């Protein structure tokens, strides 16, 4: 497949600086509406990756996301939300970003151009063939990601990727590529926009589907969420009331806090 960098193509819109606020927002919204359709086309690719991740994690493996810039931040975000949402340990889904944690808030110059550092970052976690490594790169050309995936392949570590250009080097380096082709950005080349939205949607799908398959959801409830604030305690209390038939809010809340999770509270009632 010929590689074309559609993420860098000129915006369909001209003279953005002359638009009214309303015109701008309506145009951005119109572009955003095209993203779910692009994601839908990639669902067969997403399904293959989810299936492998579930198998590997059930066998004791981990999931790594690795990327640079916006793509790296999205991976870190998705990984960081798994423990509080699903009560999973922090070391089962891990997000790595070029430049390290400092790069989450501030750009680290040239970090994404280092083709060796991605593998070095993975090695610090003793990554092996029980794990799955997913590269995230809108352009599909990030050396930090390509180098990491190439080294994983040499060691029979299953790899996937989320990219927004067809036939990219990152996709070529991955066993299970996901290509979500969203087209030119509203602001030419600003891949934090549609491309970033597409990547976030795919990450939501991957991690949510994996957690459901791993038994972290019952019916449609987050029964293993961490009770880290009053909002979550209130949500959990209502889930306990629904699951146990208790009608007294304070009694259900006490049971929840004593048990430590909705799942345990319902089991112990």
């Amino acid at each position: 497949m010929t590689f074309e960098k559609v993420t860098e193509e000129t915006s369909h819109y001209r003279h953005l600086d002359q638009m009214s606020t309303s015109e701008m927002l309506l145009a951005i919204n119109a572009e955003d509406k095209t993203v779910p359709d692009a994601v839908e086309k990639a669902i067969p690719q997403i399904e293959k990756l989810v299936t492998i991740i579930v198998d590997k994690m059930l066998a004791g493996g981990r999931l790594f996301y690795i990327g640079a810039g916006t793509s790296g931040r999205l991976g870190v975000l998705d990984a960081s939300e798994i423990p509080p949402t699903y009560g999973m340990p922090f070391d089962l889904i891990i997000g790595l970003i070029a430049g390290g944690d400092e790069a989450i808030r501030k750009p680290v110059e040239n970090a994404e151009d280092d083709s060796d550092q991605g593998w070095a970052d993975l090695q610090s976690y003793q990554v092996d063939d029980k794990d799955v490594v997913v590269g995230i790169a809108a352009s599909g050309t990030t050396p930090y990601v390509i180098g990491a995936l190439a080294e994983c392949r040499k060691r029979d570590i299953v790899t996937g990727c989320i990219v927004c250009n067809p036939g990219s080097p990152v996709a070529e380096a991955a066993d299970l590529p996901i290509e979500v082709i969203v087209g030119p950005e509203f602001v030419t080349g600003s891949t934090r926009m549609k491309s970033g939205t597409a990547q976030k949607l795919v990450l939501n799908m991957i991690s949510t589907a994996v957690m459901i398959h791993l038994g972290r959801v019952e019916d449609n409830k987050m029964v293993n969420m961490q009770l880290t604030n009053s909002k979550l305690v209130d949500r959990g209390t209502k889930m306990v009331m629904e699951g146990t038939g208790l009608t007294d809010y304070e009694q259900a809340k006490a049971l929840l806090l004593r048990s430590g999770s909705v799942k345990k509270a319902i089991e112990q009632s």
Side-chain angles (χ1 to χ4, degrees), residues 14-29:
R14 297 292 309 279
H15 309 300
L16 309 189
D17 51 340
Q18 297 176 25
M19 286 183 173
S20 68
T21 300
S22 176
E23 288 171 333
M24 247 182 252
L25 299 180
L26 287 168
I28 292 170
N29 183 240

Side-chain angles (χ1 to χ4, degrees), residues 64 66 96 117-127 133 148 152:
F64 289 86
I66 186 165
L96 301 177
Q117 190 58 47
W119 174 245
D121 290 347
L122 286 168
Q123 280 186 301
S124 68
Y125 289 88
Q126 290 81 50
V127 63
V133 176
C152 287

Side-chain angles (χ1 to χ4, degrees), residues 3 39 78 94 117 135 144 165 169 198 220 237 253 258 260 264:
F3 176 52
V39 172
D78 194 75
I94 299 164
Q117 190 58 47
Y144 175 81
N165 284 318
N220 56 14
T237 299
K253 181 177 178 180
R258 187 168 62 250
K264 291 179 180 177

Side-chain angles (χ1 to χ4, degrees), residues 207-222:
S207 57
T208 302
V210 168
M211 289 299 105
I212 292 171
H213 280 304
L214 293 182
R216 308 308 292 180
V217 172
E218 292 184 3
D219 189 10
N220 56 14
K221 303 295 194 301
M222 297 181 290

Side-chain angles (χ1 to χ4, degrees), residues 219-250:
D219 189 10
N220 56 14
K221 303 295 194 301
M222 297 181 290
V223 294
N224 292 286
M225 66 183 181
Q226 293 179 356
L227 306 173
T228 53
N229 58 50
S230 58
K231 177 190 74 174
L232 295 179
V233 171
D234 176 66
R235 180 187 296 164
T237 299
K238 292 172 182 175
M239 288 163 64
V240 170
M241 293 174 72
E242 181 180 336
T244 63
L246 288 172
T247 56
D248 185 281
Y249 181 91
E250 292 303 326

Side-chain angles (χ1 to χ4, degrees), residues 18-134:
Q18 297 176 25
M19 286 183 173
S20 68
T21 300
S22 176
E23 288 171 333
M24 247 182 252
L25 299 180
L26 287 168
I28 292 170
N29 183 240
E31 287 298 301
D32 287 343
K33 288 177 181 178
T34 68
V35 176
D37 290 337
V39 172
E40 183 178 9
K41 293 175 183 176
I43 285 177
Q45 297 175 328
I46 300 168
E47 181 182 3
K48 290 177 183 177
L49 182 57
V50 167
T51 300
I52 291 293
I53 293 170
V54 171
D55 288 345
K56 288 286 187 178
M57 293 192 78
L58 285 172
R62 300 165 293 175
L63 170 60
F64 289 86
Y65 298 132
I66 186 165
T70 297
S71 296
R73 293 182 189 101
L74 288 169
V76 171
L77 172 63
D78 194 75
S80 68
E81 290 178 337
I82 299 306
T85 305
Y86 297 108
M88 295 290 279
F90 283 88
D91 58 355
L92 289 184
I93 298 183
I94 299 164
L96 301 177
I97 182 172
D101 286 352
E102 179 185 352
I104 296 172
R105 293 182 178 273
K106 299 177 181 178
V108 176
E109 189 174 357
N110 298 325
E112 70 176 63
D113 296 328
D114 189 335
S115 59
D116 297 322
Q117 190 58 47
W119 174 245
D121 290 347
L122 286 168
Q123 280 186 301
S124 68
Y125 289 88
Q126 290 81 50
V127 63
D128 60 32
D129 60 7
K130 296 191 300 292
D131 303 318
V132 178
V133 176
V134 178

